[in-house]
Amino acid sequence: MSKKAIIVVDLQKEYLPAGKLALAGIDQAIANAVAVMDDARAKGDLVFNVHHESADPAAMPVFLPGTEGVEFISDAEPPAGEPVVLKHYPNSFLKTDLKKTLDDNGIEEVVIVGAMSHMCVDATTRAASDLGYAVTVVHDACATRDVEFGDQTVPAAQVHAAFMSALAFAYARVVSCREYLA
């Protein structure tokens, strides 16, 4: 059995242009994430689909249970029987059974794709590394959006580059989809 698993973080409709948190470059990120997932499934690697739902709709009025935005993006819909991890926090390991399930399957290496680069991808990558997994992030299978700090708007491309460079510095091997699939 392979000791590698793919963690697909929050590829949900809330991130599409019609969603409440539209991401820059989401279409290409989805296409690359699907290529990574298809490759993993063909090799017999496990794929874990992380699904975010708001635990406090008053504080976080996105990813509301029962809405279209919380649904998986059609191209990234998990096949029947593939693990789905329900989470309520940016870190996919926090208050979920993800670590136990990875450990029960002898997983030593995780590959992370999904959204958003500066939130859930970042938090999940750092947690996976801190928990002792070898971590790879496929940077062009992830997407983010412009963010604001004070009176500045930071463009999505800069947000993404800053977070990928930080993850590459100490937490993960960060590669393109092409590099990963080669």
Side-chain angles (χ1 to χ4, degrees):
M1 174 189 266
S2 174
K3 296 186 181 296
K4 178 172 32 174
I6 309 303
I7 300 175
V8 182
V9 180
D10 304 344
L11 286 183
Q12 294 167 252
K13 292 181 181 178
E14 202 75 276
Y15 291 133
L16 295 176
K20 294 179 182 173
L21 292 171
L23 302 184
I26 188 64
D27 291 335
Q28 188 60 57
I30 293 166
N32 289 339
V34 168
V36 170
M37 291 185 283
D38 288 347
D39 178 70
R41 292 172 182 134
K43 292 177 177 174
D45 294 337
L46 291 175
V47 177
F48 291 86
N49 302 275
V50 179
H51 187 260
H52 190 94
E53 287 187 4
S54 179
D56 183 0
M60 188 171 147
V62 292
F63 297 103
L64 301 176
T67 66
E68 186 176 355
V70 81
E71 296 172 8
F72 283 109
I73 293 168
S74 299
D75 290 347
E77 181 79 33
E82 198 166 82
V84 173
V85 177
L86 176 63
K87 72 176 179 68
H88 302 292
Y89 304 96
N91 173 355
S92 298
F93 292 92
L94 183 62
K95 297 184 181 183
T96 72
D97 64 355
L98 180 57
K99 181 182 183 328
K100 180 183 182 329
T101 306
L102 291 171
D103 292 348
D104 287 351
N105 284 282
I107 301 300
E108 297 174 358
E109 176 186 357
V110 296
V111 177
I112 298 175
V113 300
M116 293 188 288
S117 304
H118 73 284
M119 288 296 297
C120 300
V121 168
D122 177 66
T124 299
T125 300
R126 290 172 187 254
S129 177
D130 289 346
L131 290 168
Y133 299 101
V135 183
T136 298
V137 175
V138 182
H139 69 81
D140 54 357
C142 300
T144 195
R145 62 194 314 249
D146 294 355
V147 297
E148 295 180 5
F149 180 73
D151 62 352
Q152 294 182 351
T153 297
V154 183
Q158 291 178 9
V159 173
H160 185 76
F163 276 83
M164 291 301 118
S165 66
L167 293 176
F169 183 78
Y171 290 96
R173 180 174 75 108
V174 178
V175 299
S176 70
C177 184
R178 182 185 306 181
E179 291 170 312
Y180 179 76
L181 295 175

